[in-house]
Amino acid sequence: MSLYDDAVLVLKGYEDQPELRQTYLDHLAAHPDGLWKACGDGHITASALVIDPARARVLLTLHKKLRMWLQMGGHCEPGDATLAAAALREGAEESGIGGLRLLPGGPVRLDRHETPCAWHLDVQYAALAPAGSVEAISDESLDLRWFAYDEVAEVADDSVVRLLEATLARL
């Protein structure tokens, strides 16, 4: 199965946010290249909100280009077999933490937002960090920091807050 086919199946199986979900499906139907950064009309991205082993904090990155506190995530790559694999890869690359495990049940939410490169149609997952893991700042980040759940709204935008709320509902 291709990443494109996986994305369509994941989105068809996602039961929340029906209008936005249909926007994503329509985008893929109109753009066979809609998963890739080269698609100028926007592209599907994958992200992961990293949760500490005690389930009390989340790890956010201060994105170098956007200068915002965000979850780990970004563009799909040709080696990604699934959207879940893309979210895990991005989570590990940007957090420096190996062994992340996605919460069961597929994506936690969808978020469409404009970026300097194009519209991102982000498929958002949540991932648990393993016990004893240590984060490491990547070259895409200015900082990396753990935040208690009640601190997130003070540093991050509404999209991250909504992702956290959806994640907490699933934990």
Side-chain angles (χ1 to χ4, degrees), residues 38-99:
C39 183
D41 287 337
H43 34 270
I44 303 290
T45 57
S47 65
L49 182 65
V50 176
I51 305 156
D52 76 330
R55 299 180 182 208
R57 301 175 301 163
V58 294
L59 185 64
L60 298 180
T61 178
L62 183 56
H63 194 279
K64 188 179 279 187
K65 290 181 183 174
L66 300 178
R67 304 222 186 269
M68 297 170 62
W69 287 102
L70 300 169
Q71 75 277 10
M72 315 303 144
H75 297 107
C76 295
E77 295 182 0
D80 295 327
T82 64
L83 285 178
L88 279 174
R89 177 188 49 75
E90 285 287 337
E93 285 177 1
E94 293 186 5
S95 72
I97 298 173

Side-chain angles (χ1 to χ4, degrees), residues 6-166:
D6 175 75
V8 170
L9 283 176
V10 166
L11 291 165
K12 284 184 176 180
Y14 179 73
E15 297 180 354
D16 295 329
Q17 300 173 270
E19 288 180 24
L20 188 55
R21 178 183 73 113
Q22 192 58 51
T23 298
Y24 282 39
L25 289 166
D26 291 347
H27 174 77
L28 286 173
H31 302 282
D33 64 342
L35 286 158
W36 312 117
K37 186 176 182 180
C39 183
D41 287 337
H43 34 270
I44 303 290
T45 57
S47 65
L49 182 65
V50 176
I51 305 156
D52 76 330
R55 299 180 182 208
R57 301 175 301 163
V58 294
L59 185 64
L60 298 180
T61 178
L62 183 56
H63 194 279
K64 188 179 279 187
K65 290 181 183 174
L66 300 178
R67 304 222 186 269
M68 297 170 62
W69 287 102
L70 300 169
Q71 75 277 10
M72 315 303 144
H75 297 107
C76 295
E77 295 182 0
D80 295 327
T82 64
L83 285 178
L88 279 174
R89 177 188 49 75
E90 285 287 337
E93 285 177 1
E94 293 186 5
S95 72
I97 298 173
L100 295 173
R101 289 182 305 110
L102 294 181
L103 292 185
V108 175
R109 45 178 288 104
L110 306 175
D111 187 78
R112 181 177 182 264
H113 49 272
E114 196 166 14
T115 71
C117 75
W119 281 98
H120 279 186
L121 288 76
D122 197 29
V123 180
Q124 300 178 324
Y125 293 83
L128 287 171
S133 58
V134 177
E135 69 278 3
I137 296 175
S138 76
D139 61 357
E140 296 180 34
S141 178
L142 294 172
D143 197 3
L144 198 59
R145 194 177 309 161
W146 291 100
F147 292 95
Y149 298 151
D150 62 359
E151 296 173 325
V152 171
E154 297 169 21
V155 298
D157 71 5
D158 288 344
S159 70
V160 179
V161 171
R162 288 190 300 270
L163 174 57
L164 174 60
E165 289 169 351

